[in-house]
Amino acid sequence: MRDVKIGVMEAWTQLKLMLFRSKTLVALLALTSLLISYLQPLADVAAEINQEINPVEPFLLLINSGGSFPSPFFYIYIFFVALLGDLPMFEHGFRYRLIRMSKRSWYIGQVVLTLLFTLVFTAFIWTVSLLPFIGRFGSSGEWSRCIISLAKTNMTSARGIDLMLDMSIIRIYSPMQALGYTVLYFAAYLFFSALFVVAVHTEWPSIRPAGICGLLAIYLFDYIRINYLAYKYVRYSITAMARLATLDNGYTQYAPTMQYVNLVWAVLIILLLIILYLTARRLQ
């Protein structure tokens, strides 16, 4: 229990260092501006036709509009990966602190830190998605007419909107169900990415770009899959499994089922947790 308490305190300290450094603040400000530029045309249309928006829909659009390149999802992920570059924080005094708090505490701290950073970043994206629609949210738990029109008509090209929610999501899920699954798989992807960087950088601290390059290679595979490979290879892309729009909708052959995606994320995250634990034990 003492190791857990020390690890959580260490994670909280490092999280504050990560969030309030100038590099992070500048990156989040730039990402905010970029995402608002994607959402503003839709907000303008909603205001013009006097339609309310369900508060979860803008977030769903940002995460699930992944067909075009570069998509909002791409920018969100690239900014997230860039912020992971300094993990784990082997700053001055690390060895002394490691002796004081034990390797187990350090391991717990890193896991808690990556989880907290994932949740904070996800909450930040959701908050940003709300900004262009302030004053235009509806209380209904149903899909808004604006989003349904976006999925059914040519509004995207006609009004310069570079976002679209797949009609299968609207047909299969309620907005809250879609939000739950989207947050689950998006957060799993971010958590996996953060754990991957920490594990790789802990094992090879002298080659800091290795973890970031590995994640970019994983994303690159999904880009190659979309543009040059048969659709059946979607089952081998963990990037695709971060978006609800990619999952089996009953009509698309080879699309991964929810059970398959759940299993993949569980196996990958557990595997990384084990690798990080074994790596942490070798710290000196």
Side-chain angles (χ1 to χ4, degrees), residues 190-226:
L190 298 187
F191 186 45
F192 162 84
S193 301
L195 284 176
F196 182 86
V197 167
V198 172
V200 171
H201 290 179
T202 303
E203 182 66 26
W204 297 290
S206 60
I207 344 177
R208 278 275 171 160
I212 303 298
C213 291
L215 292 178
L216 295 180
I218 291 172
Y219 196 99
L220 178 62
F221 171 74
D222 191 62
Y223 174 80
I224 294 173
R225 174 195 67 80
I226 292 172

Side-chain angles (χ1 to χ4, degrees), residues 1-278:
M1 184 59 72
R2 182 175 179 273
D3 286 339
V4 173
K5 182 179 179 180
I6 294 174
V8 171
M9 290 176 62
E10 177 70 11
W12 180 246
T13 300
Q14 292 198 17
L15 179 65
K16 289 188 290 185
L17 289 174
M18 284 186 67
L19 292 178
F20 296 107
R21 56 185 177 172
S22 56
K23 171 185 174 181
T24 302
L25 296 175
V26 170
L28 294 181
L29 184 61
L31 181 58
T32 298
S33 176
L34 188 60
L35 295 183
I36 288 178
S37 72
Y38 273 97
L39 292 167
Q40 193 59 52
L42 178 60
D44 293 341
V45 170
E48 183 180 318
I49 62 178
N50 196 28
Q51 287 291 326
E52 295 180 332
I53 294 287
N54 189 308
V56 308
E57 291 171 341
F59 178 79
L60 296 176
L61 283 168
L62 290 178
I63 304 303
N64 290 294
S65 296
S68 61
F69 183 86
S71 64
F73 183 91
F74 168 77
Y75 287 118
I76 290 169
Y77 187 65
I78 289 301
F79 273 87
F80 180 79
V81 169
L83 295 176
L84 298 177
D86 293 331
L87 291 181
M89 294 183 176
F90 291 138
E91 71 279 1
H92 179 69
F94 163 74
R95 304 299 173 188
Y96 174 70
R97 286 176 25 254
L98 181 61
I99 294 173
R100 292 183 58 194
M101 66 177 169
S102 83
K103 296 175 182 178
R104 183 178 299 176
S105 296
W106 182 86
Y107 166 76
I108 293 171
Q110 295 307 303
V111 173
V112 173
L113 172 63
T114 53
L115 180 59
L116 288 177
F117 188 61
T118 294
L119 296 177
V120 168
F121 188 82
T122 302
F124 170 78
I125 299 302
W126 190 2
T127 302
V128 170
S129 73
L130 300 176
L131 296 180
F133 301 94
I134 291 176
R136 195 151 295 280
F137 296 121
S139 56
S140 170
E142 303 300 320
W143 294 104
S144 67
R145 292 182 182 179
C146 195
I147 295 301
I148 294 175
S149 298
L150 193 67
K152 282 185 172 181
T153 68
N154 66 341
M155 186 192 296
T156 52
S157 56
R159 304 304 295 265
I161 301 172
D162 199 15
L163 298 167
M164 186 179 69
L165 197 62
D166 194 280
M167 193 61 200
S168 64
I169 294 178
I170 297 174
R171 188 181 66 252
I172 297 172
Y173 308 101
S174 70
M176 291 307 298
Q177 286 176 328
L179 174 67
Y181 288 125
T182 296
V183 169
L184 175 64
Y185 297 131
F186 177 64
Y189 186 44
L190 298 187
F191 186 45
F192 162 84
S193 301
L195 284 176
F196 182 86
V197 167
V198 172
V200 171
H201 290 179
T202 303
E203 182 66 26
W204 297 290
S206 60
I207 344 177
R208 278 275 171 160
I212 303 298
C213 291
L215 292 178
L216 295 180
I218 291 172
Y219 196 99
L220 178 62
F221 171 74
D222 191 62
Y223 174 80
I224 294 173
R225 174 195 67 80
I226 292 172
N227 292 279
Y228 303 107
L229 300 179
Y231 188 79
K232 63 181 180 181
Y233 290 101
V234 68
R235 299 175 64 87
Y236 306 105
S237 170
I238 63 173
T239 303
M241 295 180 209
R243 297 191 295 268
L244 185 61
T246 313
L247 271 60
D248 183 22
N249 56 18
Y251 297 92
T252 308
Q253 190 179 17
Y254 301 117
T257 63
M258 198 166 285
Q259 292 79 5
Y260 174 82
V261 173
N262 292 342
L263 178 63
V264 168
W265 283 126
V267 169
L268 288 176
I269 289 174
I270 291 172
L271 184 62
L272 277 178
L273 289 171
I274 293 172
I275 292 173
L276 180 57
Y277 178 76
L278 296 176

